[in-house]
Amino acid sequence: KMVSSTAALCENVVDIHSKIKCTGIFDRFTNEQYRCWVHPGAHGSLNVTGGIENSCNAFFYEVGYQLSQDETGSYDAQLGLDNLFKYADMFGLSDKSGIEIEESMPEVSDEYPVLSAIGQGTNNYTTAGLARYVTTVANNGTCYDLTLLDKVTDANGNLIMDYSPTIRNIVELPTNYWNAIHTGMKRVVEKKAYYSDLGVVVAGKTGTAEESRSRANHALFVSYAPYENPEITVSTRIAFGYTSEYAANLTRDIYKYYFGLAEEDDILTGTAAIPDAEVTTAD
């Protein structure tokens, strides 16, 4: 939804102040309706920050619809898909991440732009690809080719090869656009009680990937910290993990370890615990 937010802002669907009203139902099409995850409730009027904060499906359905409007005001699905691809590519989601191990080729959705704008459609990405994406968001637009290696030295410590990451491209956006996106991601995490006493401010976005009706959804959480001056990004996927709350809760422990906020023995207890929060798949 950060990609869709960028597309909405850059294609003048919204600005940082304008709002889209969520009534719980998106009914632009006469023969079908799409529901927001809070239906029969509704989020009301949201700007782009609120759209991200609340992960409002109705907000982003409208974005996908507006991105599909041609010059005559007619709905053009391919135009909408092309617009979404343009911005997904800017964040590195159209090709492999660069890591030196086998990696599947990503797929930017090629069907249903309205659904694709919330991350459905035929979108399909590796966790490494999502890591490059959220890193690009965190650093305000520098998209790197990732590497698993830092450097290679000989037995005496002499440098043989430096694996400093290369820049794939730069996403140039006005500062207020980046601020709107970052603020939305920060508010996503602020709503999670189990992050309230972490000791470092985290920004992130949950996601639930639906693959099959016969098995549980995949749990996803992409994030970065510290919010004020990002140092690390963490992208977590739990295959068939039911809800993104589990991925977000696990990620909290990674931040605890990285920033020295807890002892390793306190983190690696050998037992699982359900987060002290209401569990929902609505993201």
Side-chain angles (χ1 to χ4, degrees):
K1 288 176 178 174
M2 288 81 79
V3 167
S4 298
S5 296
T6 304
L9 290 166
C10 292
E11 297 298 323
N12 299 313
V13 172
V14 295
D15 59 34
I16 60 172
H17 301 295
S18 60
K19 296 182 177 181
I20 292 174
K21 186 175 183 179
C22 167
T23 64
I25 291 285
F26 177 84
D27 56 0
R28 288 281 201 171
F29 302 111
T30 58
N31 59 338
E32 54 189 325
Q33 292 183 338
Y34 302 138
R35 296 180 178 181
C36 189
W37 65 268
V38 294
H39 183 269
H43 287 116
S45 295
L46 301 171
N47 60 14
V48 68
T49 296
I52 294 172
E53 172 189 353
N54 294 282
S55 199
C56 177
N57 288 346
F59 181 97
F60 288 101
Y61 287 147
E62 181 64 22
V63 166
Y65 183 82
Q66 291 294 332
L67 290 172
S68 305
Q69 300 298 299
D70 64 19
E71 294 180 355
T72 69
S74 299
Y75 177 76
D76 182 342
Q78 189 57 53
L79 175 62
L81 292 168
D82 290 346
N83 277 326
L84 289 171
F85 182 93
K86 172 184 175 182
Y87 291 94
D89 174 70
M90 290 166 59
F91 287 93
L93 289 170
S94 62
D95 58 22
K96 295 181 181 181
S97 70
I99 58 173
E100 296 89 351
I101 58 175
E102 184 176 352
E103 181 183 9
S104 298
M105 189 69 183
E107 180 180 353
V108 182
S109 184
D110 59 1
E111 294 181 345
Y112 314 121
V114 171
L115 294 174
S116 298
I118 74 163
Q120 293 186 345
T122 59
N123 285 299
N124 194 8
Y125 308 106
T126 64
T127 312
L130 296 176
R132 173 161 71 170
Y133 161 40
V134 72
T135 299
T136 306
V137 174
N139 66 38
N140 283 6
T142 303
C143 182
Y144 292 98
D145 287 331
L146 303 186
T147 176
L148 294 171
L149 303 173
D150 178 25
K151 60 185 177 182
V152 175
T153 65
D154 63 19
N156 296 317
N158 298 310
L159 182 67
I160 297 174
M161 186 173 294
D162 184 4
Y163 284 88
S164 297
T166 58
I167 295 176
R168 176 185 183 269
N169 66 280
I170 303 292
V171 183
E172 296 184 357
L173 299 180
T175 300
N176 59 353
Y177 287 11
W178 286 120
N179 290 344
I181 293 170
H182 291 310
T183 301
M185 295 176 68
K186 177 173 176 280
R187 291 178 181 174
V188 167
V189 179
E190 285 177 339
K191 290 185 174 183
K192 302 184 183 305
Y194 50 89
Y195 271 88
S196 62
D197 60 350
L198 180 61
V200 62
V201 180
V202 176
K205 183 69 186 73
T206 50
T208 301
E210 301 168 343
E211 181 182 1
S212 170
R213 292 184 181 274
S214 64
R215 297 194 67 176
N217 296 331
H218 303 302
L220 294 163
F221 184 63
V222 297
S223 60
Y224 63 88
Y227 173 77
E228 302 83 0
N229 187 23
E231 180 179 333
I232 181 176
T233 68
V234 181
S235 298
T236 304
R237 181 188 71 160
I238 304 176
F240 307 108
Y242 290 93
T243 167
S244 61
E245 291 295 330
Y246 295 139
N249 195 268
L250 172 61
T251 302
R252 178 195 60 173
D253 286 344
I254 296 172
Y255 284 120
K256 282 184 176 181
Y257 178 79
Y258 180 85
F259 288 108
L261 302 172
E263 296 297 326
E264 183 175 346
D265 289 343
D266 294 332
I267 298 172
L268 301 178
T269 62
T271 61
I274 296 177
D276 295 328
E278 182 179 352
V279 172
T280 175
T281 59
D283 44 39

